[in-house]
Amino acid sequence: MSDASRYPRCDQTPSWLALSACAKGPMRQQDIRQAFVSDPDRARRFTLRAPHLLADLSKNLWNDTIRSLLVALARECRIEAQREAMWQGQAINTTEHRSVGHVWLRSPEPMTEFPDAATRVPSLAEIIPQREAMLEFAEQVRADGQILNVVNIGIGGSDLGSQMACGALQPFSHPRLKLHFASNVDHHEIHRVLEQCSPGNTLFLISSKTFTSAETMANAHTARQWFLAQGGEHHPLSRHFVALTANAQAARDFGIETIFGFWDWVGGRFSVWSAAGLPLAIALGRTQFLEFLAGAHAMDRHFAGAPLQENLPVQLALLDIWYRNFHEFDTRCIAPYLSQLQRLPAYLQQLEMESNGKGVDHLGHPLEMATSPVIFGEPGTNCQHAYFQMLHQASTVIPVEIIACRENPSGGPLHHRQLLSNALAQARALMLGQDDADPHRRCPGNRPSSFVVLDTLRPDSLGALLALYEHRTFVCGALWGINSFDQWGVQLGKVLARDIESRWDSLDATGLDASTANLLRHIAG
Ligand code: F6P
């Protein structure tokens, strides 16, 4: 059995029992407002620094006792050993018997924190040539005056990371190039993109780790048909179609010659650092893409070296456990107070919910405890005009995570001041609440929030932010004793979709449940 299964699961540790006792006792009624009154130093003590950002965790429903017990829980689950196992290349993806190596993709040299890792992980001599080939191609595209449109065709981890990062870093992107992302299989997306393109000025990136995802293949075939029908014969397909994949043979079978590969130890939702990040590399260029990697690496070194009580990914993960398993909060709201981070919640949904939305541990034993919360969110201030009403007054408590930037690369100081005043106000309002003679106007307050402040939004700070969430997700999974790196739950739907599609013309309902059969007849009949 893999090494990963020999670590204690958090719900089978002494600290879990102590935390359970706390959660049932007076701690349950902890009042954040009162905590600030009785401890003037609270804000300072519960604020952590990490590369490119600061996180104020003081407006949360915890205190020194809880925090110490949570750190003890991390120690009993041997989080530091599990962290080292990842960097050393052990097969912590236990069901696919794979290493988890996205951290190696952004490491300029072997990590001194794990000196013997070099013996087991792919050498940089293997990783750097792949990266250099991708970056050289990116520079060629940026220098090629003919290419105006770059179309990434991919879904899930082959879309969300690059799309989010290209949107977030638009001010740093090449002025001539327009990045497009087509992911869904409904014809609207690919049609909307192709309408804006012509064969001679468009580069298609077919991005798929497996090169089998049905949506991506359908869109890729449509794009190729369009390309050839639009007079593409004057433009060699090889010059306008590139594959980003771990399955080079399938890409060649599709007719693509230029292939940027990555390894099976790069998980889809962790792949923006690899060839799957080519759209971002084209948008940013070599220097800025390397800054993006360097920002993530800086966070890697913080995660690898900071003591647990000062380790921001660990502290955020422990707070997640406290809220999910002891307060039984089912959701967490992500509120990025910057429009450029519009797609960050969607990216984090896959990162956290596909990683930790699991029901059994590494050994296949059913879990008695809950795991990933539901992650949702929209940029502020829009979220305030959509669902913050519920956050302030509903009986359901939803922890909020505000992500702000000290300075906005897009400028507009007065706009930014108003934006950040709202961010600060929302965190304060959630905590304070308001009493009122009219019960309809009352807000209970004592609602928790974490406040993350990026110094600014640049390639390096975005890289650091994403690495922060990757490591937080890893620590949560390690504490829960689950495999955060597979996604078997999505396979059944894919199989059933192929079966139903095969019945579309015949309407053959043999073996279908009556509901699906009726709907198939209604829709396809
Ligand atoms: O179905 C889920 C999933 O496998 C994700 O984990 C992955 O990011 C996405 O589909 C796309 O997979 P691929 O990159 O192989 O097309």
Side-chain angles (χ1 to χ4, degrees):
M1 182 52 66
S2 156
D3 294 343
S5 60
R6 63 186 167 87
Y7 299 106
R9 233 174 57 189
C10 60
D11 60 331
Q12 297 168 347
T13 62
S15 293
W16 181 273
L17 296 175
L19 285 161
S20 300
C22 281
K24 294 185 178 73
M27 292 293 180
R28 185 87 181 190
Q29 303 310 322
Q30 187 190 8
D31 190 303
I32 307 169
R33 295 157 292 202
Q34 185 51 43
F36 279 104
V37 170
S38 52
D39 178 3
D41 195 37
R42 180 182 175 86
R44 185 194 63 77
R45 283 208 335 283
F46 282 84
T47 294
L48 295 174
R49 286 257 6 159
H52 301 287
L53 54 88
L54 167 148
D56 178 350
L57 307 183
S58 62
K59 294 195 191 77
N60 278 295
L61 288 162
W62 64 347
N63 58 25
D64 291 319
T65 303
I66 296 296
R67 194 178 181 187
S68 300
L69 283 171
L70 288 166
V71 170
L73 180 77
R75 288 214 170 84
E76 287 160 15
C77 295
R78 302 183 58 216
I79 282 302
E80 286 135 322
Q82 296 200 56
R83 176 182 63 192
E84 184 163 10
M86 172 174 68
W87 253 284
Q88 285 180 340
Q90 291 181 30
I92 63 171
N93 177 350
T94 46
T95 60
E96 295 176 307
H97 313 293
R98 290 174 182 167
S99 304
V100 170
H102 50 278
V103 290
W104 306 326
L105 296 172
R106 60 228 190 183
S107 175
E109 71 280 328
M111 295 273 284
T112 51
E113 289 83 349
F114 308 112
D116 64 341
T119 61
R120 298 185 56 166
V121 304
S123 68
L124 287 172
E126 181 185 343
I127 291 171
I128 289 175
Q130 294 264 26
R131 183 196 305 160
E132 286 305 313
M134 178 183 92
L135 295 178
E136 184 182 332
F137 180 79
E139 290 301 321
Q140 289 170 10
V141 173
R142 291 164 61 85
D144 181 340
Q146 281 196 330
I147 297 295
L148 304 178
N149 296 292
V150 177
V151 181
N152 187 83
I153 294 178
I155 198 163
S158 297
D159 163 72
L160 287 166
S162 286
Q163 181 183 163
M164 177 273 302
C166 286
L169 299 174
Q170 199 282 326
F172 300 87
S173 301
H174 194 290
R176 186 191 79 245
L177 296 174
K178 185 166 171 50
L179 273 294
H180 308 268
F181 291 86
S183 48
N184 203 339
V185 74
D186 72 0
H187 190 249
H188 168 74
E189 279 208 353
I190 190 67
H191 178 69
R192 171 181 54 80
V193 168
L194 295 179
E195 272 189 327
Q196 303 172 58
C197 300
S198 65
N201 70 18
T202 303
L203 172 67
F204 291 97
L205 309 178
I206 312 304
S207 183
S208 176
K209 178 177 178 180
T210 60
F211 224 81
T212 60
S213 293
E215 302 90 336
T216 301
M217 295 300 106
N219 284 329
H221 283 288
T222 297
R224 183 171 63 180
Q225 288 158 5
W226 168 88
F227 181 84
L228 296 176
Q230 292 283 321
E233 65 274 13
H234 304 305
H235 312 284
L237 191 122
S238 59
R239 199 169 114 69
H240 295 272
F241 279 75
V242 162
L244 318 177
T245 184
N247 186 349
Q249 187 51 52
R252 282 189 286 272
D253 295 344
F254 180 86
I256 294 178
E257 296 170 17
T258 305
I259 299 165
F260 295 97
F262 51 100
W263 299 267
D264 67 5
W265 41 259
V266 181
R269 51 193 174 272
F270 299 87
S271 63
V272 70
W273 324 100
S274 72
L278 180 56
L280 183 62
I282 290 172
L284 293 181
R286 173 194 173 80
T287 301
Q288 292 184 129
F289 188 80
L290 289 175
E291 288 171 8
F292 176 64
L293 296 183
H297 182 61
M299 187 59 73
D300 292 346
R301 303 207 77 131
H302 168 78
F303 175 50
L308 296 183
Q309 61 274 17
E310 298 159 27
N311 194 306
L312 186 53
V314 171
Q315 291 290 307
L316 288 171
L318 291 172
L319 206 46
D320 289 340
I321 302 297
W322 177 237
Y323 285 156
R324 189 77 186 91
N325 298 116
F326 295 96
H327 279 274
E328 295 167 3
F329 297 150
D330 297 330
T331 57
R332 188 171 89 243
C333 171
I334 305 287
Y337 272 73
L338 208 66
S339 300
Q340 293 96 309
L341 293 176
Q342 170 88 30
R343 294 294 289 156
L344 181 65
Y347 169 82
L348 294 179
Q349 283 180 327
Q350 188 195 17
L351 178 62
E352 296 198 39
M353 295 168 72
E354 190 169 78
S355 294
N356 291 336
K358 309 288 170 68
V360 299
D361 64 14
H362 280 291
L363 294 170
H365 298 152
L367 295 169
E368 294 82 43
M369 61 186 158
T371 56
S372 176
V374 173
I375 306 291
F376 72 98
E378 277 289 316
T381 61
N382 300 55
C383 51
Q384 297 169 205
H385 302 273
Y387 48 75
F388 265 47
Q389 158 59 38
M390 176 174 178
L391 304 188
H392 286 289
Q393 284 194 323
S395 57
T396 305
V397 177
I398 297 176
V400 178
E401 200 147 290
I402 291 175
I403 300 161
C405 273
R406 287 190 67 218
E407 61 176 48
N408 188 331
S410 297
L414 296 181
H415 285 261
H416 201 52
R417 177 187 301 180
Q418 187 172 349
L419 180 74
L420 294 192
S421 298
N422 274 276
L424 290 169
Q426 288 302 320
R428 178 166 162 76
L430 285 164
M431 175 182 70
L432 287 184
Q434 75 175 357
D435 204 355
D436 196 293
D438 177 354
H440 298 288
R441 296 173 183 273
R442 277 183 213 138
C443 293
N446 204 34
R447 301 278 160 112
S449 67
S450 296
F451 205 106
V452 178
V453 188
L454 292 174
D455 298 335
T456 183
L457 185 58
R458 293 182 32 79
D460 51 8
S461 60
L462 182 66
L465 182 70
L466 303 188
L468 170 66
Y469 278 99
E470 286 180 342
H471 295 320
R472 172 207 198 142
T473 301
F474 165 80
V475 173
C476 282
L479 290 165
W480 283 319
I482 60 179
N483 181 1
S484 298
F485 305 101
D486 61 9
Q487 53 283 326
W488 296 110
V490 300
Q491 299 312 321
L492 176 59
K494 295 177 181 179
V495 170
L496 296 183
R498 285 194 292 271
D499 171 58
I500 290 171
E501 191 175 354
S502 72
R503 302 165 186 259
W504 211 256
D505 296 328
S506 68
L507 299 182
D508 170 15
T510 311
L512 291 181
D513 61 275
S515 168
T516 305
N518 288 347
L519 288 168
L520 177 63
R521 279 190 287 269
H522 173 70
I523 295 169

